[in-house]
């Protein structure tokens, strides 16, 4: 089950391509989304897989004969590219977010857009990464490592502070945000989240207080952001940390 979830986008890309008979196999470009098991799955079905690193617009344009493209977060699949890629049938996203893919143009053009499973596995990974950063910052992990590497370790300079008892404010309480919240509870942190509709009541019986934006910034010791990039969330924080 875990493997099936991790290969969600790869499996769906293969399924989308399967109904169309073709002797040579399909040309699939995998950009910055390498998964040995995923690539093997496609190759076993007779497809020609070209693996690349992150691609800019000009580099991606060189693959205009692709039947499918699978990307991570770095490569942008734009309307311009899809308009010139006449064979393109499906775009796969090895991850949850779709902000680097012009989904509106894809829908208008009959190009399928799929992503990895239900996001459960990637949500857990992102939540763990978020906590790694919180711990590294609160415990001064990076400068401490640099000090050890330079053979100048001074323990008292790197005591840092504990996350236990601190207030975590979450902006975006979706799959990832909820995973972060559960880990914060295990660390003994108090958790609040940004209220979407202005209500400050706990939602879904999760015991997480909802706060308005100003209150969340004022009361939180740590802010963790897990919302998609949309017109509503663009520039939600300015340089001074105030709502815009």
């Amino acid at each position: 089950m875990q493997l099936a979830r991790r290969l969600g986008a790869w499996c769906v890309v293969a399924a989308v391509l399967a109904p169309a008979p073709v002797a040579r196999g399909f040309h699939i470009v995998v950009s910055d989304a390498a998964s040995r098991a995923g690539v093997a799955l496609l190759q076993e079905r007779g497809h020609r897989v070209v693996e690349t690193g992150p691609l800019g617009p000009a580099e991606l344009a060189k693959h205009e004969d692709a039947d499918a493209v699978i990307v991570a977060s770095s490569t942008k699949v734009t309307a311009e590219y899809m308009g010139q890629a006449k064979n393109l049938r499906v775009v796969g996203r090895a991850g949850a977010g779709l902000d680097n893919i012009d989904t509106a143009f894809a829908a208008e053009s009959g190009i399928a857009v799929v992503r990895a499973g239900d996001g459960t596995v990637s949500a857990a990974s992102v939540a763990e990464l978020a906590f790694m950063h919180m711990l590294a910052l609160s415990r001064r992990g990076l400068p401490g490592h640099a000090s050890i590497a330079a053979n100048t370790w001074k323990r008292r300079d790197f005591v840092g502070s504990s996350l236990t008892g601190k207030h975590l404010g979450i902006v975006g309480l979706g799959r990832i945000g909820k995973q972060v919240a559960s880990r914060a509870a295990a660390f003994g942190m108090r958790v609040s989240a940004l209220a979407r509709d202005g209500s400050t009541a706990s939602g879904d019986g999760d015991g997480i207080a909802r706060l308005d934006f100003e209150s969340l910034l004022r009361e939180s010791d740590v802010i963790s952001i897990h919302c998609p990039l949309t017109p509503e969330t663009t520039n939600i924080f300015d340089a001074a940390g105030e709502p815009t």
Side-chain angles (χ1 to χ4, degrees):
M1 179 62 71
Q2 294 295 315
L3 179 62
R5 285 176 173 174
R6 286 198 296 271
L7 297 183
W10 308 80
C11 293
V12 178
V13 166
V16 170
L17 294 176
V22 59
R24 60 174 174 79
F26 287 104
H27 175 193
I28 303 175
V29 175
V30 178
S31 171
D32 193 32
S35 163
R36 297 269 46 91
V39 170
L41 171 72
L42 298 174
Q43 290 175 331
E44 287 169 1
R45 301 195 179 191
H47 301 309
R48 180 165 61 93
V49 180
V50 177
E51 297 180 72
T52 75
L55 297 174
E59 296 168 311
L60 183 59
K62 296 177 182 177
H63 300 278
E64 61 180 14
D65 60 337
D67 298 291
V69 175
I70 299 178
V71 299
S73 58
S74 299
T75 299
K76 297 185 183 300
V77 185
T78 63
E80 181 180 1
Y81 169 72
M82 288 186 277
Q84 68 187 28
K86 301 304 181 183
N87 298 330
L88 192 64
R89 299 167 55 85
V90 56
V91 177
R93 169 72 167 89
L98 297 175
D99 50 282
N100 58 321
I101 301 170
D102 193 326
T103 54
F105 184 88
E108 293 172 3
S109 305
I111 299 170
V113 177
V114 299
R115 58 184 170 184
D118 61 2
T120 302
V121 174
S122 59
S125 297
V126 174
E128 290 172 6
L129 180 65
F131 255 88
M132 181 197 75
H133 288 306
M134 287 185 215
L135 289 167
L137 288 170
S138 64
R139 290 298 187 180
R140 306 199 64 202
L142 292 178
H145 173 269
S147 176
I148 292 174
N151 198 29
T152 59
W153 175 249
K154 296 180 180 180
R155 181 177 179 181
R156 291 186 179 181
D157 291 344
F158 305 106
V159 172
S161 61
S162 175
L163 290 178
T164 302
K166 297 295 194 301
H167 187 175
L168 173 64
I170 298 176
V171 178
L173 197 64
R175 283 191 298 265
I176 296 172
K178 289 177 180 177
Q179 294 264 5
V180 171
S182 68
R183 286 158 176 75
F187 270 80
M189 301 182 76
R190 184 163 65 94
V191 183
S192 298
L194 177 64
R196 287 186 174 183
D197 57 2
S199 171
T200 56
S202 297
D204 302 324
D206 56 18
I208 300 174
R210 271 49 169 186
L211 301 176
D212 60 65
F213 196 88
E214 290 78 6
S215 297
L216 193 75
L217 292 184
R218 183 174 59 252
E219 297 182 18
S220 299
D221 299 294
V222 181
I223 298 287
S224 195
I225 306 169
H226 304 286
C227 53
L229 182 63
T230 66
E232 291 73 27
T233 60
T234 298
N235 297 326
I236 190 172
F237 297 94
D238 66 8
E242 296 295 334
T244 58

